[in-house]
Amino acid sequence: TEGPPSCPKGCDRCSEYNGCVKCKPKLFIFLERNDIRQVGVCLASCPVGYFGMRNPEGNNRCTQCKIDNCEACFNRNFCTKCKEGLYSHSGRCYVSCPPGQRTANETMEC
Amino acid sequence: AGVRVDGSGDAEAGRASCPGRCRCELDGLLLRVDCSDLELRAVPSDLSVFTSYLDLSMNNMTLISAGALSSLHFLQELRLPGNDLSFIPKGAFAGLYNLKVLMLQNNQLRSVPAEAFNNLHNLQSLRLDANHISGVPAGSFSGLRSLRHLWLDDNALTEVPAEALSELPALQAMTLALNHIRHVPDHAFSALGRLVVLHLNNNRIVSMGTNCFHGLHSLETLDLNYNQLMEFPTAIRSLRHLKELGFHSNKIQSIPDHAFTGNPSLTTVFFYDNPIQSVGRTAFQNLPELRTLSLNGAAELNEFPDLTGTRSLESLTITGARITSLPTSVCEQLPNLQLLDLSYNQIQSLPSFSACESLQKLDLHHNEVEALEENTFTGLTSLRFLDLSWNRLSTVKPNGFSALPALNRLDLSSNQLSSLPLSGLQTLTHLRLAGNGQLMELIAREDLPRVRWMELPYAFQCCAFISCDRKGGSSWEKEEAVEAAGRDAAVLSSQAEPDWEDFLMEFEDGPKPQHAVHCSPTPGPLRPCRHLLG
């Protein structure tokens, strides 16, 4: 079933000023910055620097990764893809591997 | 940066050909192809062999036929979320030797495909969340020797797929959250020696094998929140590297002695919203990395816990218990304490807090403290907020507050004070004394030079802080009118009356340049400044 005609794709409820305010089940709401406004859009997967937090009520949201030098994360504290040239170890990103860790250059991991 | 290629399908360009209506971008020698949201029913047939990224999200695909992608040897990321895939045949991903990321969330799968993922040797991230998966056949993850991240949350699993998981030696992060799992059996994760993060929140877990976490040598984060656990999960004992543990919103009634004895690396533990009645006295011992401990409503807890070896604690909250006294060594045990909240207990006397040099906030309201000694607060050079309201304070020694250079909020309301030593309170900005009926002495303004907000027992005591004889004398009427209007407004919105929390916010902005003092009860015609009772 499609949401109201004026709502963006994947959206169940929206407002003219704030875009989507409630997405269809299973999708994530992401607050896109538009000048001083934040406009809600509905995504199947969250953009770079964000991860999808699901909850039983279905208010799934894109939430910011809190790890330095991280492009994609599993949760707030565990990075799944570090920025180019950095090594990953236990979900964190390093310029060089911590002491005692060997460098695996092919996968950029310690 | 990539070079955009239009969707006209330029065959000669070979590498640069972009399937109709898709949006493509050259990325060095490879091609990034975005065919999302085009109402496609099948994988485009004219994909370039040099495609490294393919987004087929939010289309209407119900099937991926075997071999449909087999020429894409350079493909590293394949996105298929938001389609209607209910079945994926063997061979659907054949030929994808370099695939690293495969997204299948938000489809209609009822089971993990038994063979479709086999031998994707370089696959690192597999998303299967938000489907209707109730089973994970043994062998379905066979050959995924590089898989690091697995999403199976928001499905219909009723048990941990232990056998299938045993083929994922490189797994580092997994979520099984938002499923219907009721029991975690022993050795459920025993092959996952490199797992760092495990989410089991929002299931129906009632019980756990005492060895269910056996083998998780690298686990740092364990999320058991929002389950039906009745017993403390003693299985955590084997998790030596555990840093973050959550089991809030369960049905646990007690925390045993030595509960975290196997978790010396614990920095954070959340267990609120459990009907915890009793706590073993040694439950929180030897947690050298623990920063915050919060325990509310443990009604059977009548002794302050022994926190030996938990020296890094910065915030300790134990409210709603039956603690009657504190050990004299409380500050020696907790030298880094910044916040101590022991409100709603039955504490009758206080030790000296002088060794708690970092203490900034001390909340002891709703206890049974009767007296404050000379040395109770000596040495607390960082203390900014002290709440002793709703106690039985009748005696405060002359220098009881004399050594508190940073104190600016003091709440002594609802006690039995008849006098108050002001020595040392020059830094106060907020003072509450209401509810001390025998405290009738006048407070001199110069004793509290920086005060801005006061609640005193009697209106006449406010006169020193609000100049009573205003020009024209009409200010009473105006003030009465304003106050009456204020009261009406208060009926409509309970937040019209400034309360303590508002002033906590105001405190963050720092002292107001213009030194207006809010003092209540406000003197007025019915509550004259001259104290009629002499």
Side-chain angles (χ1 to χ4, degrees):
Chain A
T1 52
E2 273 308 307
S6 58
C7 284
K9 175 145 187 174
C11 181
D12 261 350
R13 200 158 22 96
C14 61
S15 83
E16 192 183 341
Y17 193 75
N18 295 108
C20 196
V21 294
K22 179 142 180 49
C23 291
K24 289 195 179 315
K26 313 277 184 179
L27 295 180
F28 299 99
I29 189 161
F30 173 61
L31 298 181
E32 233 169 25
R33 191 161 288 283
N34 191 333
D35 294 336
I36 56 168
R37 280 192 309 155
Q38 281 194 323
V39 178
V41 294
C42 300
L43 304 174
S45 40
C46 295
V48 169
Y50 290 81
F51 71 100
M53 197 123 115
R54 294 189 188 280
N55 71 35
E57 292 76 35
N59 306 320
N60 307 320
R61 330 179 51 82
C62 291
T63 309
Q64 205 152 16
C65 306
K66 291 278 189 221
I67 309 128
D68 294 340
N69 300 311
C70 178
E71 276 193 10
C73 61
F74 190 85
N75 64 24
R76 206 183 295 276
N77 302 318
F78 189 90
C79 189
T80 55
K81 185 181 181 192
C82 292
K83 286 186 176 158
E84 190 95 21
L86 290 167
Y87 295 93
S88 96
H89 172 61
S90 287
R92 300 207 164 269
C93 303
Y94 297 88
V95 174
S96 58
C97 287
Q101 295 290 334
R102 190 179 47 80
T103 317
N105 282 313
E106 65 283 4
T107 56
M108 291 304 285
E109 289 179 313
C110 305
Chain B
V3 173
R4 294 207 71 75
V5 178
D6 66 33
S8 61
D10 171 357
E12 284 72 35
R15 162 186 309 106
S17 71
C18 187
R21 292 195 295 138
C22 299
R23 300 156 299 271
C24 298
E25 203 176 75
L26 269 180
D27 183 9
L29 296 176
L30 301 173
L31 193 65
R32 294 172 63 91
V33 180
D34 180 357
C35 304
S36 62
D37 208 0
L38 297 174
E39 296 177 350
L40 299 178
R41 293 196 164 281
V43 175
S45 55
D46 49 351
L47 284 163
S48 160
V49 296
F50 293 98
T51 303
S52 61
Y53 170 97
L54 175 56
D55 189 351
L56 292 166
S57 310
M58 306 301 280
N59 281 298
N60 303 333
M61 298 169 59
T62 55
L63 180 68
I64 301 175
S65 46
L69 299 155
S70 58
S71 64
L72 305 184
H73 302 325
F74 294 100
L75 191 62
Q76 293 193 17
E77 183 160 345
L78 174 58
R79 296 187 169 211
L80 287 157
N83 281 282
D84 292 318
L85 299 170
S86 55
F87 170 72
I88 301 178
K90 179 178 180 177
F93 303 123
L96 303 183
Y97 305 122
N98 282 293
L99 192 64
K100 285 187 175 166
V101 176
L102 176 53
M103 292 189 183
L104 285 160
Q105 69 266 32
N106 196 2
N107 273 284
Q108 306 302 319
L109 297 171
R110 296 199 168 277
S111 167
V112 170
E115 297 171 283
F117 303 138
N118 286 182
N119 302 320
L120 291 172
H121 294 314
N122 286 303
L123 192 64
Q124 294 189 7
S125 290
L126 175 57
R127 291 199 62 165
L128 292 163
D129 44 312
N131 278 277
H132 307 289
I133 294 170
S134 58
V136 184
S140 44
F141 297 142
S142 169
L144 300 186
R145 60 173 181 245
S146 302
L147 197 69
R148 272 112 167 118
H149 322 119
L150 176 59
W151 287 261
L152 274 165
D153 52 318
D154 199 359
N155 276 293
L157 292 172
T158 53
E159 58 185 28
V160 176
E163 201 173 342
L165 294 177
S166 67
E167 301 193 82
L168 299 172
L171 202 61
Q172 292 184 19
M174 173 168 67
T175 176
L176 297 170
L178 285 99
N179 276 286
H180 310 147
I181 296 171
R182 303 182 61 84
H183 174 69
V184 183
D186 278 344
H187 307 293
F189 311 105
S190 53
L192 306 183
R194 298 188 59 189
L195 197 67
V196 175
V197 172
L198 175 57
H199 290 284
L200 287 164
N201 53 290
N202 294 94
N203 273 282
R204 299 171 191 171
I205 300 173
V206 177
S207 57
M208 314 178 82
T210 45
N211 294 303
C212 68
F213 296 132
H214 179 264
L216 294 175
H217 311 304
S218 308
L219 200 70
E220 293 181 9
T221 299
L222 175 60
D223 185 343
L224 292 167
N225 302 323
Y226 298 108
N227 275 290
Q228 312 289 327
L229 286 170
M230 312 275 283
E231 302 290 334
F232 178 81
T234 51
I236 65 167
R237 195 152 290 179
S238 60
L239 304 174
R240 296 214 55 77
H241 293 102
L242 194 62
K243 290 181 180 172
E244 267 187 56
L245 171 62
F247 55 95
H248 71 67
S249 309
N250 273 276
K251 297 185 175 180
I252 293 165
Q253 299 195 9
S254 77
I255 298 182
D257 270 314
H258 302 300
F260 305 99
T261 212
N263 318 111
S265 310
L266 209 56
T267 57
T268 313
V269 52
F270 293 116
F271 47 86
Y272 54 84
D273 287 350
N274 275 287
I276 291 171
Q277 298 300 301
S278 66
V279 176
R281 198 156 178 272
T282 63
F284 298 101
Q285 265 187 354
N286 300 318
L287 296 172
E289 303 298 330
L290 194 66
R291 293 286 186 289
T292 302
L293 176 56
S294 182
L295 183 57
N296 303 298
E300 291 170 23
L301 174 63
N302 45 37
E303 232 184 323
F304 188 82
D306 179 347
L307 296 169
T308 308
T310 302
R311 293 178 61 82
S312 300
L313 216 51
E314 293 169 1
S315 171
L316 175 60
T317 299
I318 307 178
T319 66
R322 290 211 188 106
I323 295 173
T324 54
S325 67
L326 304 180
T328 51
S329 61
V330 63
C331 285
E332 280 74 21
Q333 267 187 10
L334 307 171
N336 296 299
L337 213 51
Q338 293 177 23
L339 179 144
L340 178 59
D341 182 352
L342 297 172
S343 53
Y344 294 100
N345 276 286
Q346 294 164 10
I347 299 168
Q348 289 146 20
S349 63
L350 298 176
S352 168
F353 290 100
S354 56
C356 285
E357 289 165 2
S358 306
L359 198 59
Q360 295 181 27
K361 193 173 185 219
L362 180 54
D363 215 332
L364 294 162
H365 68 79
H366 285 90
N367 273 286
E368 295 164 10
V369 178
E370 295 171 0
L372 298 180
E373 303 304 330
E374 297 270 348
N375 67 347
T376 303
F377 303 122
T378 311
L380 298 187
T381 53
S382 306
L383 191 67
R384 294 186 293 125
F385 178 99
L386 174 56
D387 187 345
L388 281 155
S389 60
W390 297 96
N391 274 274
R392 293 182 183 160
L393 274 178
S394 55
T395 314
V396 180
K397 289 289 171 46
N399 290 316
F401 300 120
S402 62
L404 301 170
L407 188 67
N408 42 52
R409 288 165 182 273
L410 175 60
D411 189 341
L412 297 171
S413 57
S414 302
N415 275 287
Q416 295 152 25
L417 292 169
S418 51
S419 68
L420 177 67
L422 296 171
S423 149
L425 295 179
Q426 281 65 33
T427 55
L428 272 195
T429 57
H430 295 70
L431 173 63
R432 252 189 172 153
L433 292 172
N436 288 279
Q438 298 148 50
L439 183 58
M440 296 185 179
E441 62 189 23
L442 282 176
I443 300 172
R445 177 147 197 166
E446 46 279 11
D447 288 336
L448 302 172
R450 298 182 57 192
V451 76
R452 291 201 323 270
W453 192 96
M454 303 175 82
E455 249 186 32
L456 300 179
Y458 297 99
F460 72 83
Q461 293 166 315
C462 280
C463 292
F465 298 89
I466 303 175
S467 55
C468 293
D469 32 349
R470 299 267 171 66
K471 245 199 269 52
S474 64
S475 64
W476 286 129
E477 294 69 26
K478 205 166 46 177
E479 199 147 308
E480 289 289 323
V482 165
E483 195 168 289
R487 259 201 307 280
D488 297 343
V491 169
L492 298 175
S493 138
S494 63
Q495 273 144 6
E497 277 297 316
D499 64 23
W500 194 259
E501 296 317 320
D502 292 343
F503 285 93
L504 280 184
M505 293 305 293
E506 187 188 346
F507 166 72
E508 264 66 43
D509 311 335
K512 289 278 178 283
Q514 187 239 349
H515 193 160
V517 178
H518 166 92
C519 189
S520 67
T522 315
L526 301 177
R527 289 169 300 202
C529 275
R530 291 175 313 286
H531 172 41
L532 297 183
L533 305 180

